[in-house]
Amino acid sequence: MSRHLPVPPATFAIHGLCAAALAAALAGCSSDSTAPPTTSLVGNYALTTVNGSALPYTDGSGDKIVGGSLQVNGNSTYTAVQQSVPAGGGTEVDSATSNWSGNSRAAQFSNGINSVNYQGSLNGSVLTLAGGGLTWAYQKQ
């Protein structure tokens, strides 16, 4: 089965909590009161769709993605878990850890498994990641 994991978590040294606190403080000093605040990406997410299709998602080879989760950490790391049913049967659970950077409007997630980088953004409580020909939507828990 091919490894579809969108964002394998790794270690990112951005001092997430300090950066978030500084960003919040600076946003409070902004003269543009109409600018929307940047929401933290940090949290736990459940996979809801792949390429706009509800789970289970079947890829071109017949493999099914039946579930997944994403844990985005304040230290610029994340962990992705994916539950799959290969075309030949059985079940698989894959997990990976890698790095992320950016903010809720424009984030980059590196993938240590297949070298695909994913572009992410948070819209309300839905984190969307796009890369490698796939778009993943995760609901914040």
Side-chain angles (χ1 to χ4, degrees), residues 121-132:
S121 64
L122 186 64
N123 184 4
S125 61
V126 177
L127 175 59
T128 302
L129 303 175

mmCIF file with all atom_site columns, all heavy atoms in Angstrom, residues 121-132:
data_model
loop_
_atom_site.group_PDB
_atom_site.id
_atom_site.type_symbol
_atom_site.label_atom_id
_atom_site.label_alt_id
_atom_site.label_comp_id
_atom_site.label_asym_id
_atom_site.label_entity_id
_atom_site.label_seq_id
_atom_site.pdbx_PDB_ins_code
_atom_site.Cartn_x
_atom_site.Cartn_y
_atom_site.Cartn_z
_atom_site.occupancy
_atom_site.B_iso_or_equiv
_atom_site.pdbx_formal_charge
_atom_site.auth_seq_id
_atom_site.auth_comp_id
_atom_site.auth_asym_id
_atom_site.auth_atom_id
_atom_site.pdbx_PDB_model_num
ATOM 1  N N   . SER A 1 121 ? -4.139  25.502 5.770  1.00 0.00 ? 121 SER A N   1
ATOM 2  C CA  . SER A 1 121 ? -4.803  26.695 6.280  1.00 0.00 ? 121 SER A CA  1
ATOM 3  C C   . SER A 1 121 ? -5.979  26.259 7.142  1.00 0.00 ? 121 SER A C   1
ATOM 4  O O   . SER A 1 121 ? -6.566  25.198 6.927  1.00 0.00 ? 121 SER A O   1
ATOM 5  C CB  . SER A 1 121 ? -5.274  27.603 5.149  1.00 0.00 ? 121 SER A CB  1
ATOM 6  O OG  . SER A 1 121 ? -6.247  26.949 4.367  1.00 0.00 ? 121 SER A OG  1
ATOM 7  N N   . LEU A 1 122 ? -6.284  27.093 8.131  1.00 0.00 ? 122 LEU A N   1
ATOM 8  C CA  . LEU A 1 122 ? -7.369  26.813 9.049  1.00 0.00 ? 122 LEU A CA  1
ATOM 9  C C   . LEU A 1 122 ? -8.519  27.753 8.731  1.00 0.00 ? 122 LEU A C   1
ATOM 10 O O   . LEU A 1 122 ? -8.344  28.973 8.677  1.00 0.00 ? 122 LEU A O   1
ATOM 11 C CB  . LEU A 1 122 ? -6.896  27.015 10.491 1.00 0.00 ? 122 LEU A CB  1
ATOM 12 C CG  . LEU A 1 122 ? -7.857  26.638 11.606 1.00 0.00 ? 122 LEU A CG  1
ATOM 13 C CD1 . LEU A 1 122 ? -8.146  25.145 11.586 1.00 0.00 ? 122 LEU A CD1 1
ATOM 14 C CD2 . LEU A 1 122 ? -7.268  27.032 12.961 1.00 0.00 ? 122 LEU A CD2 1
ATOM 15 N N   . ASN A 1 123 ? -9.695  27.182 8.477  1.00 0.00 ? 123 ASN A N   1
ATOM 16 C CA  . ASN A 1 123 ? -10.897 27.973 8.210  1.00 0.00 ? 123 ASN A CA  1
ATOM 17 C C   . ASN A 1 123 ? -11.920 27.563 9.256  1.00 0.00 ? 123 ASN A C   1
ATOM 18 O O   . ASN A 1 123 ? -12.495 26.475 9.173  1.00 0.00 ? 123 ASN A O   1
ATOM 19 C CB  . ASN A 1 123 ? -11.409 27.711 6.792  1.00 0.00 ? 123 ASN A CB  1
ATOM 20 C CG  . ASN A 1 123 ? -12.592 28.585 6.441  1.00 0.00 ? 123 ASN A CG  1
ATOM 21 O OD1 . ASN A 1 123 ? -13.003 29.450 7.216  1.00 0.00 ? 123 ASN A OD1 1
ATOM 22 N ND2 . ASN A 1 123 ? -13.148 28.364 5.269  1.00 0.00 ? 123 ASN A ND2 1
ATOM 23 N N   . GLY A 1 124 ? -12.111 28.412 10.251 1.00 0.00 ? 124 GLY A N   1
ATOM 24 C CA  . GLY A 1 124 ? -12.954 28.041 11.383 1.00 0.00 ? 124 GLY A CA  1
ATOM 25 C C   . GLY A 1 124 ? -12.272 26.938 12.156 1.00 0.00 ? 124 GLY A C   1
ATOM 26 O O   . GLY A 1 124 ? -11.191 27.125 12.688 1.00 0.00 ? 124 GLY A O   1
ATOM 27 N N   . SER A 1 125 ? -12.880 25.758 12.197 1.00 0.00 ? 125 SER A N   1
ATOM 28 C CA  . SER A 1 125 ? -12.274 24.631 12.908 1.00 0.00 ? 125 SER A CA  1
ATOM 29 C C   . SER A 1 125 ? -11.822 23.531 11.954 1.00 0.00 ? 125 SER A C   1
ATOM 30 O O   . SER A 1 125 ? -11.531 22.415 12.379 1.00 0.00 ? 125 SER A O   1
ATOM 31 C CB  . SER A 1 125 ? -13.281 24.062 13.918 1.00 0.00 ? 125 SER A CB  1
ATOM 32 O OG  . SER A 1 125 ? -14.434 23.595 13.249 1.00 0.00 ? 125 SER A OG  1
ATOM 33 N N   . VAL A 1 126 ? -11.738 23.849 10.652 1.00 0.00 ? 126 VAL A N   1
ATOM 34 C CA  . VAL A 1 126 ? -11.322 22.856 9.660  1.00 0.00 ? 126 VAL A CA  1
ATOM 35 C C   . VAL A 1 126 ? -9.930  23.210 9.134  1.00 0.00 ? 126 VAL A C   1
ATOM 36 O O   . VAL A 1 126 ? -9.721  24.281 8.563  1.00 0.00 ? 126 VAL A O   1
ATOM 37 C CB  . VAL A 1 126 ? -12.327 22.763 8.490  1.00 0.00 ? 126 VAL A CB  1
ATOM 38 C CG1 . VAL A 1 126 ? -11.830 21.779 7.434  1.00 0.00 ? 126 VAL A CG1 1
ATOM 39 C CG2 . VAL A 1 126 ? -13.697 22.343 9.011  1.00 0.00 ? 126 VAL A CG2 1
ATOM 40 N N   . LEU A 1 127 ? -8.998  22.299 9.341  1.00 0.00 ? 127 LEU A N   1
ATOM 41 C CA  . LEU A 1 127 ? -7.634  22.431 8.832  1.00 0.00 ? 127 LEU A CA  1
ATOM 42 C C   . LEU A 1 127 ? -7.556  21.669 7.518  1.00 0.00 ? 127 LEU A C   1
ATOM 43 O O   . LEU A 1 127 ? -7.840  20.473 7.466  1.00 0.00 ? 127 LEU A O   1
ATOM 44 C CB  . LEU A 1 127 ? -6.625  21.859 9.825  1.00 0.00 ? 127 LEU A CB  1
ATOM 45 C CG  . LEU A 1 127 ? -5.163  21.807 9.384  1.00 0.00 ? 127 LEU A CG  1
ATOM 46 C CD1 . LEU A 1 127 ? -4.638  23.202 9.033  1.00 0.00 ? 127 LEU A CD1 1
ATOM 47 C CD2 . LEU A 1 127 ? -4.308  21.157 10.468 1.00 0.00 ? 127 LEU A CD2 1
ATOM 48 N N   . THR A 1 128 ? -7.214  22.386 6.442  1.00 0.00 ? 128 THR A N   1
ATOM 49 C CA  . THR A 1 128 ? -7.098  21.766 5.125  1.00 0.00 ? 128 THR A CA  1
ATOM 50 C C   . THR A 1 128 ? -5.637  21.718 4.729  1.00 0.00 ? 128 THR A C   1
ATOM 51 O O   . THR A 1 128 ? -4.926  22.723 4.834  1.00 0.00 ? 128 THR A O   1
ATOM 52 C CB  . THR A 1 128 ? -7.898  22.567 4.075  1.00 0.00 ? 128 THR A CB  1
ATOM 53 O OG1 . THR A 1 128 ? -9.262  22.632 4.504  1.00 0.00 ? 128 THR A OG1 1
ATOM 54 C CG2 . THR A 1 128 ? -7.825  21.912 2.711  1.00 0.00 ? 128 THR A CG2 1
ATOM 55 N N   . LEU A 1 129 ? -5.184  20.550 4.269  1.00 0.00 ? 129 LEU A N   1
ATOM 56 C CA  . LEU A 1 129 ? -3.819  20.346 3.808  1.00 0.00 ? 129 LEU A CA  1
ATOM 57 C C   . LEU A 1 129 ? -3.881  19.895 2.357  1.00 0.00 ? 129 LEU A C   1
ATOM 58 O O   . LEU A 1 129 ? -4.681  19.028 2.008  1.00 0.00 ? 129 LEU A O   1
ATOM 59 C CB  . LEU A 1 129 ? -3.114  19.278 4.632  1.00 0.00 ? 129 LEU A CB  1
ATOM 60 C CG  . LEU A 1 129 ? -3.041  19.511 6.129  1.00 0.00 ? 129 LEU A CG  1
ATOM 61 C CD1 . LEU A 1 129 ? -2.419  18.316 6.824  1.00 0.00 ? 129 LEU A CD1 1
ATOM 62 C CD2 . LEU A 1 129 ? -2.264  20.767 6.432  1.00 0.00 ? 129 LEU A CD2 1
ATOM 63 N N   . ALA A 1 130 ? -3.042  20.476 1.517  1.00 0.00 ? 130 ALA A N   1
ATOM 64 C CA  . ALA A 1 130 ? -3.021  20.112 0.100  1.00 0.00 ? 130 ALA A CA  1
ATOM 65 C C   . ALA A 1 130 ? -1.591  19.862 -0.339 1.00 0.00 ? 130 ALA A C   1
ATOM 66 O O   . ALA A 1 130 ? -0.687  20.629 -0.027 1.00 0.00 ? 130 ALA A O   1
ATOM 67 C CB  . ALA A 1 130 ? -3.646  21.214 -0.746 1.00 0.00 ? 130 ALA A CB  1
ATOM 68 N N   . GLY A 1 131 ? -1.400  18.759 -1.079 1.00 0.00 ? 131 GLY A N   1
ATOM 69 C CA  . GLY A 1 131 ? -0.090  18.425 -1.602 1.00 0.00 ? 131 GLY A CA  1
ATOM 70 C C   . GLY A 1 131 ? -0.085  17.013 -2.147 1.00 0.00 ? 131 GLY A C   1
ATOM 71 O O   . GLY A 1 131 ? -0.907  16.185 -1.758 1.00 0.00 ? 131 GLY A O   1
ATOM 72 N N   . GLY A 1 132 ? 0.816   16.741 -3.063 1.00 0.00 ? 132 GLY A N   1
ATOM 73 C CA  . GLY A 1 132 ? 0.924   15.403 -3.618 1.00 0.00 ? 132 GLY A CA  1
ATOM 74 C C   . GLY A 1 132 ? -0.323  14.954 -4.359 1.00 0.00 ? 132 GLY A C   1
ATOM 75 O O   . GLY A 1 132 ? -0.599  13.767 -4.445 1.00 0.00 ? 132 GLY A O   1
#
